[in-house]
């Protein structure tokens, strides 16, 4: 079956760095998305990776290893506003998104 | 900016009622989606549509139907609401693209409670 695994909850300190991991098993693979979702709000797009390696976008970076079925989202210089859920989703061979349950990130001062 | 709007943020209905959830997008996207989001579970796809009058079942279509009469509007219908349909419902839209992968844009969600 198809599956996405990510930690349920993580806690980090303001100003620090945090890495949110995601492993996936899908029928075929056409890329991996990360979305941010603040409580009670819509998910918003953060990144898309289809090739191996690290893509940096300001304070946020996303990494993909296709051979390991693994991705991570790296958040630097954490701010209180980064408190949110981070959703990992893989695109399968039919270009359908398989979603993880999300990682709730709690930032402490 | 793409804007996806949903008709209600909060809705309370009784068991057996017919429920309509409306979604409108303003960016001429071909693809539209309905998901439900429950604690501890990932987004689960109910139905999606590639074009006007086109619809495809997602992973959990039972108890739901959809309508897409106009490109910008995608409606989710609960024919006879049940308590296990209490959930957050999210609508999304996406540009079809030619040989490219595009992100989905989400509406703010409708939190439906069925009593």
């Amino acid at each position: 079956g198809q599956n996405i695994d990510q930690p349920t909850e993580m806690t980090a300190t303001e100003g620090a760095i945090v890495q949110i991991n995601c492993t996936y098993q899908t029928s075929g693979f056409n890329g991996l998305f990360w979305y941010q979702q603040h409580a009670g709000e819509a998910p918003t797009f953060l990144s898309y990776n289809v090739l191996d390696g690290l893509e940096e976008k300001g304070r946020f970076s996303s990494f993909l290893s296709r051979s390991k079925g693994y991705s991570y989202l790296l958040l630097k210089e954490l701010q209180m506003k980064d408190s949110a859920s981070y959703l990992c989703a893989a695109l399968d061979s039919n270009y359908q998104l398989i979603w993880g349950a999300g990682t709730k990130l709690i930032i402490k001062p | 900016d793409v804007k996806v709007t949903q008709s209600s943020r909060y809705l309370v209905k009784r068991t057996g009622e017919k429920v309509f959830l409306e979604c409108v997008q303003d960016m001429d996207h071909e693809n539209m989606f309905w998901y439900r989001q429950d604690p501890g579970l990932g987004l689960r796809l109910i139905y999606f549509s590639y074009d006007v009058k086109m619809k495809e079942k997602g992973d959990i279509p039972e108890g739901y139907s959809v309508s897409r009469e106009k490109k910008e509007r995608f409606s989710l219908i609960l024919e006879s609401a049940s308590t296990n349909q209490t959930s957050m419902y999210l609508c999304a839209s996406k540009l079809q693209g030619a040989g490219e992968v595009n992100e989905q844009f989400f509406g703010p969600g409708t939190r439906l409670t069925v009593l």
Side-chain angles (χ1 to χ4, degrees), chain A residues 65-84:
Chain A
S65 169
R66 294 176 67 123
S67 62
K68 294 182 179 178
Y70 168 68
S71 173
Y72 68 72
L73 182 69
L74 190 71
L75 291 74
K76 300 177 184 176
E77 300 169 16
L78 285 170
Q79 302 175 10
M80 297 304 292
K81 67 178 182 179
D82 297 329
S83 292

Side-chain angles (χ1 to χ4, degrees), chain A residues 8 30 33 35 37 40-45 48 87 91 94-102, chain B residues 9 33 35 37 40-45 48 50 88 90 101-109:
Chain A
T8 303
N30 283 298
F33 287 86
Y35 280 78
Q37 186 179 24
E41 296 184 12
T44 54
F45 169 77
Y48 169 69
L87 312 182
L91 206 56
N94 294 320
Y95 288 88
Q96 298 303 317
L97 276 175
I98 312 301
W99 293 85
Chain B
R9 290 301 302 271
F33 306 82
Y35 293 94
Q37 186 175 34
L41 300 176
L43 293 175
R44 291 184 290 167
L45 183 63
F48 61 100
Y50 288 122
M88 170 68 85
L90 289 166
V101 173
N102 297 304
E103 72 269 28
Q104 293 184 16
F105 293 86
F106 285 84

Side-chain angles (χ1 to χ4, degrees), chain B residues 39-100:
Chain B
L41 300 176
L43 293 175
R44 291 184 290 167
L45 183 63
I46 303 171
Y47 269 96
F48 61 100
S49 169
Y50 288 122
D51 205 344
V52 176
K53 297 193 184 296
M54 304 290 285
K55 59 184 179 183
E56 296 285 342
K57 292 181 180 179
D59 300 318
I60 51 164
E62 297 78 18
Y64 303 94
S65 62
V66 290
S67 171
R68 189 147 181 223
E69 296 297 317
K70 294 184 178 181
K71 192 174 186 179
E72 68 270 18
R73 189 180 298 269
F74 192 35
S75 302
L76 180 69
I77 302 146
L78 287 66
E79 295 289 341
S80 178
S82 64
T83 55
N84 63 12
Q85 292 178 310
T86 292
S87 187
M88 170 68 85
Y89 289 88
L90 289 166
C91 174
S93 73
K94 179 177 76 73
L95 192 64
Q96 174 68 26
E100 60 188 17

